[in-house]
Amino acid sequence: MINVKNITLLFVLFGLINGHIFSQEKTTRISLKHGSHRAEKRTDAAMQTWRAYGLGQFIHWGIYAIPGGQWDGKTYNGAAEWIRSWSGKDAPVNWEKTYDNLYKQFNPTVFDADKWAEQAKNMGARYVIFTTKHHDGFCLWPSKYTNYTIAKTPYKKDIVKQVVDAYNKVGIDVYLYYSIMDWHHAGWRYDSKTKEDSAAFDGFKKYTRNQLIELLTNYPTVKGLWFDGTWDKAWVKQAEFADELENEMRTLHPGMIIGSRFRADENGKRHVDTNGDMMGDYEQGWERNLPNSIEDVHGHDWDCVMTIPENQWGYNSNWTGYVKTSYNLIEMMVKSVSLGGNFVLNFGPDGKGNIRQEETDIAQEIGDWMKINSEAIYGATYSDIKKQDWGYFTQKGKKLYLAVFNRPINNCLNIELSKKGLIPEKAYFLAGKQSVLIQDAGNNKQNNRLYNIVIPPSYCTVKPFVIVLEMEEKQTEEKSYQQAKT
Ligand code: FHN
């Protein structure tokens, strides 16, 4: 006989079966030949170093710096480093040919790698990502696999070597940017649909492999490669080739770091494979964009690469639109670290090798801030404490850093700590170590512990600042909170 009890039981059983099927669906993994190589994050020393960088520099440099977004009085409307792809009625006549001959004029007489490295060091960058070959295919090192290189310019000297040596000399790790997409190579295809395309692309694949091995051999101190231009179908279809090449590179250069942009799995999935596992050592998808919460980063390592103007990586003589201030950029850097990522700021030197004044000023302003506050950046990471509107938390062991960007009018920085765990013992400014008052503000409804960190009203600054909280393990009383009668 069916009664209420039986019906309930049926529902429960149905729910269980359903839930089981559902959870099975969620956890079903398919076997992939060319998927992610690991289920967990890397924990080796090289990766720990990468994680602790906090701030990096990106440099986009190449022959696109000669036109700098303009040619014959005409303005190219895209990103300056994309100018070779200028087409349509506004493009200069025979533009591709003109562009492909620009290298004959490339003579950056002002280029001084030591000066760049010194500036990056002064800004507080711990690593640099340098463009060896961008989408236009021009190589800043004397590659033996093509004539389209720095060796054939009036300048002649190896630029990649100078950058690697100069940055290493001041203690900055170097990562080489390499664009797979190559508008100059005869074998490059966006897609390969015919036998002829495949044959041409096979030649291009050999070229790519040779150049990557060449880069790792010529510049053995580099810590990794930063790939780009890997989104087109012809490359996405190369799961097996790219996987083998990645293995070969990792064997040749143990400990090297490669992000999620290099290769796709056999189903064409990029960044994460068909099972949702990250491809490569860290997520490379945060370009000119930042996550808003820790959920957005899915437990991955990640970096954010950012331009100072809206979307110009290479030199553009005429920056238009909103240009970020050092204040904006410092906030982005702190936000990145507070969500467990690195922040990489781009510079686009001009055709002579100058870093423009706007970038020099920004580097100086960030550097001034870092000289006082870098403890909250280097080696610091996400802190599992509820975000507050006044700014961001970063954490290193038992030290909690409160980076204040919106100073409250009552000077009280509220913090909410979970019921159990560390409690604040001591608070002080990173600048000058002046101590700051910690007020116990009791418990809230969830029995979490509340504190006010009181900024002395006399403390005057127009810049974001950091307060350190030294935390200790202590037993605190749990107060019971009367539930609201609603
Ligand atoms: O197309 C490029 C762009 O020019 C620039 O190099 C950036 C840097 O991350 N990457 C590509 C767009 O994702």
Side-chain angles (χ1 to χ4, degrees), residues 214-349:
E214 183 180 50
L215 284 172
L216 293 173
T217 311
N218 288 6
Y219 314 105
T221 62
V222 301
K223 304 292 181 196
L225 297 172
W226 204 97
F227 286 100
D228 205 359
T230 53
W231 46 77
D232 288 305
K233 282 192 187 146
W235 181 255
V236 169
K237 288 176 190 164
Q238 306 304 325
E240 183 179 355
F241 169 78
D243 196 6
E244 278 170 12
L245 179 52
E246 184 177 322
N247 287 334
E248 185 183 4
M249 292 190 289
R250 288 190 191 275
T251 309
L252 176 71
H253 205 86
M256 75 179 294
I257 293 174
I258 299 179
S260 65
R261 282 197 198 191
F262 180 55
R263 61 186 179 90
D265 74 5
E266 56 262 51
N267 302 314
K269 286 276 289 164
R270 300 176 62 241
H271 292 281
V272 290
D273 68 13
T274 309
N275 287 322
D277 296 329
M278 198 179 51
M279 305 279 281
D281 302 319
Y282 66 95
E283 171 58 63
Q284 241 184 313
W286 297 102
E287 177 174 315
R288 293 189 298 115
N289 189 15
L290 280 166
N292 272 320
S293 69
I294 198 70
E295 288 72 37
D296 291 345
V297 304
H298 304 290
H300 297 155
D301 285 309
W302 60 276
D303 71 358
C304 162
V305 291
M306 186 56 70
T307 50
I308 297 174
E310 272 166 16
N311 184 20
Q312 299 290 334
W313 298 87
Y315 175 72
N316 190 323
S317 58
N318 184 22
W319 275 356
T320 51
Y322 183 69
V323 176
K324 295 169 199 77
T325 64
S326 56
Y327 179 98
N328 297 147
L329 296 162
I330 291 169
E331 180 163 6
M332 289 175 179
M333 169 181 66
V334 173
K335 185 172 181 186
S336 300
V337 174
S338 80
L339 294 173
N342 286 326
F343 184 71
V344 186
L345 183 61
N346 183 68
F347 289 68

